[in-house]
Amino acid sequence: MRHGRPALSVAHTRCLIVGPSWVGDMIMAQSLFMALRERNPGLEIDVLAPAWTAPLLARMPEVHAALDLPIGHGELDLKARRRIARELRAHHYAQAIVLPNSLKSALIPWFARIPRRTGFRGEQRYGLLNDLRRLDKARLPRTVQRFVALAMPKNHLPALEDCPRPQLRTDPQAGRVARARLGLEDPRPALGLCPGAEFGPAKRWPSAHYAAVARYYRSRGWQIWVFGSQNDFEVAEAVCRDAGPDCTNLAGRTTLGEAIDLMAQTAAVVSNDSGLMHVAAALDRPLVAVYGSSDPGFTPPLSPTARIERLGLACSPCFQRECPLKHLDCLHGLHPDRIVRALDSLLDATA
């Protein structure tokens, strides 16, 4: 951020962030962490979130500690929340910033007696939060703006250019070790493909389209790495089967940390709107992001080396997990040659 803008509101030594439970949202939350530290260099930021986020938070130098939230998504479990809050009292946090909008998310800071508890209105959180913000969706259309706004005075609503871009730290040596373990020591450029999406099939570009892109880049001498979680194994396997040789299915075979380090070594990435899309953006990989049921105006890849491809049909974005019209035209109609042209153009521009 440039000089002359209003100072951020946290001027304390310790701040607790109640973090989100999605990879993409946690990456966008790094913009909040960066904004807080930019104005308050001595601030210690601890993030309370599910244990699986720890490898991701370890790649964010702004984070002092990742604190495990061992409560399932959607569970109330008041006993566990009180226990965690008692443990947190010893940290003497001056402020908590609550990113999820649920009532449950605001309970631990309240139980922990953290003096200032900041977050947006939602689910009758009056009293649990005492620095309650009204969300102006028109002036804060993007998730990253909403996160950064919670670090600022109530009347200062950040524009997108006010928001620092997420930048994940990588470990090149760990990447080399992962490549050796997975048999990826071929020095040819690698195209990363991310055909999964935890949210649901309405965000997944067809595997046959991914395979067509893979075949094109294979013909140019590239190798293909298909990323994903164990839940993405079948769709990743379908991509590799249709793409032919030199296509490696990594879905479920890497840790999150390894996936970050390997993606940092790709020459380019094609991805659905998913957590891995945000990983690629935070690594500044040349990236083509494919959108169907979701809105790139809400959660775009925050990188100058990213391009968005979508058809923009009248029925999209619908924000549904499955196509309510049963045709998924917003993705089936987005042909592979269009993605290839976009990526070739991007590679020429970033060469």
Side-chain angles (χ1 to χ4, degrees):
M1 284 183 241
R2 296 183 291 272
H3 295 294
R5 295 195 176 111
L8 300 180
S9 60
V10 181
H12 314 294
T13 57
R14 304 201 76 173
C15 180
L16 177 70
I17 308 291
V18 180
S21 298
W22 295 91
V23 171
D25 286 351
M26 187 62 84
I27 289 176
M28 288 183 283
Q30 189 188 16
S31 295
L32 166 65
F33 311 153
M34 295 168 79
L36 289 169
R37 287 291 301 276
E38 185 175 280
R39 298 293 184 168
N40 303 275
L43 182 68
E44 288 187 359
I45 299 172
D46 293 348
V47 181
L48 181 66
W52 66 260
T53 65
L56 186 58
L57 293 168
R59 306 312 181 96
M60 301 180 184
E62 304 80 17
V63 175
H64 171 258
L67 308 178
D68 180 22
L69 179 63
I71 301 173
H73 184 68
E75 293 182 14
L76 181 57
D77 201 343
L78 284 174
K79 183 178 180 180
R81 292 180 191 274
R82 289 182 182 276
R83 175 183 55 78
I84 293 167
R86 286 195 297 270
E87 294 171 357
L88 292 179
R89 288 174 194 166
H91 294 260
H92 302 292
Y93 294 109
Q95 183 177 20
I97 298 177
V98 182
L99 296 185
N101 285 327
S102 67
L103 181 147
K104 296 185 292 293
S105 301
L107 287 171
I108 289 177
W110 185 63
F111 288 147
R113 302 172 187 167
I114 297 174
R116 187 178 181 188
R117 304 178 299 278
T118 302
F120 288 114
R121 295 179 186 176
E123 290 195 0
Q124 303 300 313
R125 304 198 293 182
Y126 301 96
L128 296 179
L129 300 179
N130 57 10
D131 179 21
L132 202 59
R133 310 296 181 89
R134 183 180 66 84
L135 175 58
D136 187 336
K137 293 182 179 181
R139 296 181 65 187
L140 297 175
R142 297 173 181 84
T143 298
V144 67
Q145 291 174 271
R146 297 173 185 183
F147 286 171
V148 172
L150 293 176
M152 296 187 172
K154 282 188 177 182
N155 295 327
H156 184 74
L157 304 182
L160 184 60
E161 57 267 21
D162 291 325
C163 302
R165 288 195 302 107
Q167 296 281 303
L168 294 179
R169 182 169 50 191
T170 61
D171 185 339
Q173 176 58 27
R176 288 189 287 271
V177 170
R179 290 185 72 160
R181 179 178 71 81
L182 295 163
L184 301 175
E185 296 174 290
D186 188 329
R188 291 177 298 167
L191 173 66
L193 300 181
C194 307
E198 289 290 330
F199 182 76
K203 293 178 73 171
R204 296 179 194 143
W205 199 44
S207 62
H209 288 2
Y210 272 105
V213 172
R215 288 193 297 271
Y216 171 82
Y217 283 97
R218 277 187 50 237
S219 72
R220 297 180 60 181
W222 291 38
Q223 59 182 314
I224 312 300
W225 299 349
V226 186
F227 292 89
S229 69
Q230 186 60 49
N231 293 336
D232 303 319
F233 179 84
E234 289 186 8
V235 66
E237 192 68 12
V239 172
C240 291
R241 183 176 58 249
D242 293 345
D246 302 318
C247 186
T248 303
N249 183 0
L250 300 176
R253 299 175 61 198
T254 68
T255 65
L256 180 54
E258 287 175 328
I260 293 170
D261 291 328
L262 289 172
M263 191 169 288
Q265 298 185 24
T266 61
V269 176
V270 176
S271 178
N272 299 326
D273 174 20
S274 66
L276 288 175
M277 177 199 75
H278 290 284
V279 169
L283 296 172
D284 280 334
R285 296 295 79 209
L287 165 69
V288 174
V290 179
Y291 280 76
S293 66
S294 54
D295 183 1
F298 182 51
T299 54
L302 300 171
S303 170
T305 61
R307 297 291 182 273
I308 292 167
E309 289 295 327
R310 64 188 294 262
L311 291 179
L313 302 182
C315 57
S316 67
C318 67
F319 299 107
Q320 300 299 308
R321 294 180 184 270
E322 298 188 11
C323 176
L325 301 178
K326 310 300 182 184
H327 55 57
L328 204 61
D329 285 351
C330 62
L331 290 172
H332 284 292
L334 192 55
H335 295 148
D337 57 349
R338 176 167 167 172
I339 304 305
V340 165
R341 287 196 301 269
L343 186 52
D344 278 349
S345 175
L346 183 58
L347 290 169
D348 288 342
T350 57

